[in-house]
Structure formats: C-alpha cells, structure tokens
Amino acid sequence: MTGVFQAVKVTDRVYWVGAIDWALRDFHGYHTGRGTTYNAYLVMGEKIALVDTVKAPFKDEMLARVASVVDPRRIEYIISNHSEMDHSGSLPAVMEAIKPEKVFASQMGAKALGEHFHIGGITAVKDGEKVALGGIDCVFMETRMLHWPDSMFTYLPEEELLFSQDGFGMHLASGERFDDELDWAVMESEAAKYYANIVLPYSPVVAKTLEKVAAAGLKVKIIAPDHGPVWRRDVGKIVGLYGKWAAQKPTRKAVVAYDTMWGSTAAMAKAIGEGLAAGGLDVKVFAMGGAHRSDVVTELLCAGAFVVGSPTINNGMFPTIADLLTYAKGLKPRNLVGAAFGSYGWSGESVGQVAEILKAMKVELAGEGLKAVYVPDAAALAACRQLGLDVAGKVNQNTA
Ligand code: FEO
C-alpha cells in the first residue's frame, strides 16, 4: 500500500523528503501568507545521508517520506547545514530513532546544536572538507553569517547540486517541488520577500559568497534550498537576483509608511505621495494600521526612498511605527533617502524620534522632519507635496 507521504526524486541519487507547512502564517515576525516548506534531502551513495531535518512537529512526515525510499535506520550520516530550529528541531528525535553513525555540521554548527539541544557527538567539518558516501561525495562550504554563524552549504560534485539551506529559499507551501512547475511571478515575489526579511542584513556576505562560488568555478545545475522550490530551470535567474539584491542599488521607488489617529498624518502621507509621484518615482504607500511590517521591508528592497510618518501620542511615536522601525532597522536596508513627518497636538516629539531612527539607519534625510499642528491646512499640505518633490529630487540624483 502506498503511504500518504512520498519522497520526490530530484536526481537519480537525491530525493526530497521534507515537509509542507500549509498553515504557517508567522515566521518570527515575518508574515508568511503562503505557508512554507521545510526541505530535507536524502543522498543515496553506498552510504546514505540525510541533509537537514525539519521543524519538530513534522518529524513523522519526513521519516515517512524517507521510508518511501529506504528504511530510515539505513541512514548512516546526517548533515546539518543550519542549526535554526525549522531545520534542526527534529534532529534529536531523528538521531534517537535512526542512530546515525555520524552527524556533520560546521564548527559553529556543532557548537550551536550542542547549545540548542544539549547533545554531544556532532562531528565538526571545515570549509572545503569532503565526505565520501561511495559513488558520490559531499563537499562542505562554510557560509558563516549567511544567515547564522553556523550556516554552511553542501555541494555534490557528481550531481552538480548545491544544498543551500536558507539561501535561495522562500516561504511558499506548494504541491509542486520544482521551479519549472510554479509561476515565476509568485516565486520571484516570495524569494524577494524572503531575501528582504531574512537575508538582507548579510548582503555583503552574499556578494562574497557569489564571488567565491564563481572563482571556484563550481558548476551548479541544481540548487536545493531548505524552503520552497528546488531550482533546476532558473538557477541563473535566482543567482542573478541575489547579486542584484545584495548590491542594494537604489531605484526610483519610494516607500511611504505611516499611521494616523484622526486622519491628519494620513492626509500628509497622501500629499507627500503626490509629490514623490510628480517627481517621477514609483510610490508605495503603507497605512500601518492594516499593513504588515514584512511587506513594507519587501518593498524597501532596492528602493530609493523611505518616508515615515507618525502622529505624536503620549510624547512618543505610534506603536505600529515603532514596531516597523525596530524591524526595518535590524534588516539594514541601505542607500535610502528619506524623511519623517506627522501631525501633533501640543508637544510633537514623534517626528524627531522617527528622524533619529532613520538617521541611525543611515537614511539620507531631506530636512529634519515635517510637522503639522492638529489638522494640516492647505499650506501644510503644499509643504508635504514639496517634501515629496525634494525626496524625489535626491533619489533621481542617486539613480542617475
Ligand atoms: Fe530556515 Fe534560518 O532557518
């Protein structure tokens, strides 16, 4: 009888044995509207290796997919490319169930797995080290801080296949396992969202890793990440996008994010948006009462401007704006022009507070911030439109 959970053949010697999480909607603060997958892979040499595991509650699904190919107890090696718990959460239970000969991880990975699960017995491997499975080799490539200290890739020269853990991944649950079976527009947008929300702060490491892979002349026919589809048709396209996103070259796009108490900061945002558009920019406006922080930072990818508005409430900024700025600051978007704005009643601290955070984010400010008392009049709205034009002028210079 055929089991419910089946493996999917990637090549003659590699199978996908991961899990599909259709229900996930939050990944540590990132809205995952299309769910995700936790990809694990079986490599069938004379010895059998399992590359990564899955989030703890999905262990049985993964082992059932393994069992559709081979008795899981025949797995000799487990390779942990990344210790974050969406890929290692089931590792202790899997080790207990199958008793592998060895578990390999980078040096930092061995440390991190020990610190997560309070287990020993992890074999640390070095950059460039090779483990022969018999008929097929696993070559390890350290990718420290892409995106954790422990991160590494595993390359199979015989298959020209790269297991890239989170790199080149996306949160996209689907019945299809390969890029050529899915809509490119959906994959591009989810890959961009993943890059902006997870990988962006490590863009310099991405650029160096791409250089290192090119310099090594590594032939890569297939990229098998830990989330989303396996790339076998569009390897060049996704690698090209990573190069572009890592460079963070600004484009003529402006992101405006605001919240509002009584509609005044909203009116300012609209007027600023008019100025930005009149200045020739593509404008995306987010009302944070109904928008998600992870969608705003996705639009910040390769944007030229970030303009943020908050009314003053109890001498501070609106909580939704504090949330967005805390999140966006950590992701280190670069090469942005920006401004702060907002309505106030009697003290008006929020605009200065927003401007301070934008400065800390290395955003080039167009002025010290624009305030309007209570309800903006025609002159205040004209000043907002002019601010949009000023920001657009700076972006046009930066992108000329
Ligand atoms: Fe998919 Fe960094 O974990």
Side-chain angles (χ1 to χ4, degrees), residues 27 82 84 86-87 147-148 166 194 227:
F27 188 90
H82 181 23
E84 193 163 6
D86 46 337
H87 311 298
H147 71 120
W148 273 24
D166 284 335
Y194 192 89
H227 298 287

Side-chain angles (χ1 to χ4, degrees), residues 258-268 310-313 318 342-346 373-376:
Y258 73 93
D259 211 332
T260 196
M261 286 172 77
W262 297 107
S264 292
T265 305
M268 296 176 79
S310 174
T312 295
I313 179 166
F318 229 59
S343 152
Y344 71 103
W346 53 97
V373 65
Y374 286 119
V375 176

Side-chain angles (χ1 to χ4, degrees), residues 163-371:
F163 294 113
S164 60
Q165 37 95 17
D166 284 335
F168 310 108
M170 69 186 74
H171 287 312
L172 174 61
S174 62
E176 299 79 11
R177 297 275 67 80
F178 298 98
D179 58 347
D180 49 288
E181 300 168 332
L182 287 155
D183 182 345
W184 169 256
V186 171
M187 290 188 294
E188 185 179 21
S189 115
E190 291 298 342
K193 186 169 188 179
Y194 192 89
Y195 190 95
N197 283 275
I198 303 281
V199 185
L200 187 64
Y202 310 104
S203 289
V205 187
V206 173
K208 273 195 196 123
T209 304
L210 293 177
E211 277 170 27
K212 185 173 157 184
V213 169
L218 219 61
K219 286 192 182 147
V220 180
K221 206 167 59 187
I222 297 172
I223 296 180
D226 274 358
H227 298 287
V230 172
W231 301 97
R232 66 180 179 187
R233 180 192 63 190
D234 293 323
V235 169
K237 271 164 99 172
I238 189 65
V239 170
L241 283 175
Y242 262 56
K244 181 177 113 175
W245 295 332
Q248 295 201 63
K249 196 167 168 226
T251 59
R252 296 169 81 196
K253 175 168 76 167
V255 177
V256 180
Y258 73 93
D259 211 332
T260 196
M261 286 172 77
W262 297 107
S264 292
T265 305
M268 296 176 79
K270 272 180 82 85
I272 290 167
E274 289 294 310
L276 290 163
L281 303 194
D282 170 18
V283 184
K284 311 281 180 195
V285 179
F286 291 89
M288 296 313 298
H292 199 276
R293 63 180 90 83
S294 55
D295 292 318
V296 178
V297 300
T298 303
E299 287 297 344
L300 281 181
L301 193 58
C302 300
F306 187 30
V307 184
V308 180
S310 174
T312 295
I313 179 166
N314 299 330
N315 309 107
M317 68 180 90
F318 229 59
T320 50
I321 300 302
D323 172 306
L324 171 66
L325 289 174
T326 301
Y327 189 74
K329 185 179 173 208
L331 291 168
K332 299 186 171 69
R334 290 290 178 258
N335 306 319
L336 292 162
V337 173
F341 66 96
S343 152
Y344 71 103
W346 53 97
S347 58
E349 292 91 340
S350 69
V351 173
Q353 292 169 2
V354 169
E356 280 307 310
I357 298 176
L358 291 175
K359 267 191 231 167
M361 291 173 67
K362 303 188 194 306
V363 174
E364 179 192 347
L365 291 180
E368 284 305 305
L370 193 56
K371 295 181 190 177

